[in-house]
Amino acid sequence: MRELHAKRVVIKVGTSSLVYPDGAINLRAIDQLAFVISAMRHRGREVVLVSSGAIGVGLNYLGLKKRPKAIPEQQAIAAVGQTELVSIYKERFAVYEQKIGQVLLTRDIFVYPESHQNVLNTFEALLAQNVIPIVNENDTVAVDELDHETKFGDNDQLSAIVATNIGADLLIMLSDIDGFYTGNPNADANAELLTRVERVTDATYEQAGGSGSRFGTGGMVTKLKAAERMLAAHGQMILANGEDPAIIFKILAGEPVGTLFG
């Protein structure tokens, strides 16, 4: 059994867990996620959800088959998708009598002391009122052209930045992979799942592969950077497969699923 100190938890769910490969919304996964998080909240844990999926949901809502290359078009799709995604979350969380609040962030918020304190105050007020903050990047403001300083880069980094700033004990990162392997399991039949990684080193990064699905932006390197940030803040991170969000119950019970960083 793993020893987890998890009073305050950040859960990051990737686009691949919310949107099927054909672009359809995975309503079952969203409902299960709402059930699990509501159960955690009702048992006294403080939970923040960092949710990807705005562009994936927007593409589905607008009937588009592929992500456009132009940044303004991506921003427009994200704006449409974000409202649709939060509407679905609100509907599903309401079934379990759990209130939610939307928090859209840009990286510069954490740079300037006043805005930094304001956003921390918002998180604390939401959690104190038993509200689940649902966090995403404000894609209509933060763009990645010219290495824009307001851009987080991906929600793996966003989740770790939020977790370390609000003093979370544990970051649970749900993705489309079972955990961290010694190699790319899609290309190396001998790749083994590591149940625990205590330190993230240069050698660890060398084992990391590339990016995932066409709907998301993150890859294994970004997840390792998030783990490194959590470890530096004396927190823990677990990377696990988010196909069935009920896996969170197993994680919190200390069962050896996924990879524990810490």
Side-chain angles (χ1 to χ4, degrees):
M1 298 289 287
R2 292 167 169 170
E3 185 179 357
L4 299 176
H5 308 287
K7 168 65 176 174
R8 179 171 287 189
V9 182
V10 172
I11 297 172
K12 187 267 177 177
V13 59
T15 301
S16 60
S17 299
L18 304 176
V19 179
Y20 290 112
D22 64 0
I25 301 171
N26 189 340
L27 294 174
R28 177 187 175 278
I30 293 176
D31 181 77
Q32 188 73 358
L33 189 63
F35 168 69
V36 172
I37 292 176
S38 298
M40 292 172 64
R41 177 60 266 184
H42 297 163
R43 293 292 293 170
R45 283 193 170 93
E46 297 175 331
V47 188
V48 174
L49 174 62
V50 176
S51 175
S52 299
I55 289 182
V57 171
L59 289 170
N60 177 77
Y61 186 82
L62 295 172
L64 301 175
K65 295 300 181 184
K66 64 178 182 178
R67 182 175 179 149
K69 294 183 178 180
I71 288 175
E73 291 181 34
Q74 291 185 37
Q75 291 175 292
I77 291 169
V80 171
Q82 188 64 37
T83 58
E84 178 68 5
L85 182 59
V86 170
S87 294
I88 296 171
Y89 273 129
K90 183 178 180 181
E91 176 186 276
R92 301 323 302 161
F93 272 99
V95 172
Y96 306 109
E97 300 181 345
Q98 177 60 56
K99 294 180 173 62
I100 66 168
Q102 179 177 250
V103 180
L104 297 177
L105 300 174
T106 52
R107 190 163 193 148
D108 55 334
I109 286 172
F110 293 102
V111 174
Y112 298 103
E114 185 174 353
S115 59
H116 183 194
Q117 189 59 53
N118 287 339
V119 75
L120 294 184
N121 292 343
T122 300
F123 275 113
E124 293 297 336
L126 287 169
L127 293 171
Q129 296 178 52
N130 296 327
V131 175
I132 302 295
I134 297 184
V135 182
N136 199 354
E137 183 160 9
N138 190 341
D139 288 316
T140 61
V141 175
V143 297
D144 55 7
E145 64 183 341
L146 303 179
D147 192 27
H148 199 287
E149 66 178 5
T150 65
K151 184 75 177 170
F152 287 102
D154 58 83
N155 276 356
D156 294 338
Q157 295 303 298
L158 172 58
S159 65
I161 289 171
V162 168
T164 53
N165 273 273
I166 68 171
D169 311 299
L170 176 66
L171 169 60
I172 298 176
M173 191 168 293
L174 300 181
S175 186
D176 56 359
I177 191 168
D178 292 337
F180 184 67
Y181 287 78
T182 55
N184 184 347
N186 296 321
D188 183 1
N190 295 318
E192 297 180 3
L193 176 67
L194 298 176
T195 58
R196 185 160 193 171
V197 175
E198 296 185 3
R199 293 173 57 246
V200 177
T201 65
D202 290 342
T204 315
Y205 279 106
E206 289 177 8
Q207 294 175 322
S211 62
S213 73
R214 66 190 175 97
F215 295 103
T217 57
M220 189 55 70
V221 169
T222 64
K223 292 168 178 55
L224 289 180
K225 288 181 179 179
E228 193 170 15
R229 185 181 291 270
M230 285 300 296
L231 292 174
H234 306 291
Q236 295 176 304
M237 184 184 110
I238 289 183
L239 173 62
N241 196 312
E243 182 178 2
D244 182 0
I247 196 173
I248 294 171
F249 287 136
K250 295 182 179 180
I251 291 170
L252 295 175
E255 294 184 26
V257 295
T259 302
L260 170 64
F261 293 87

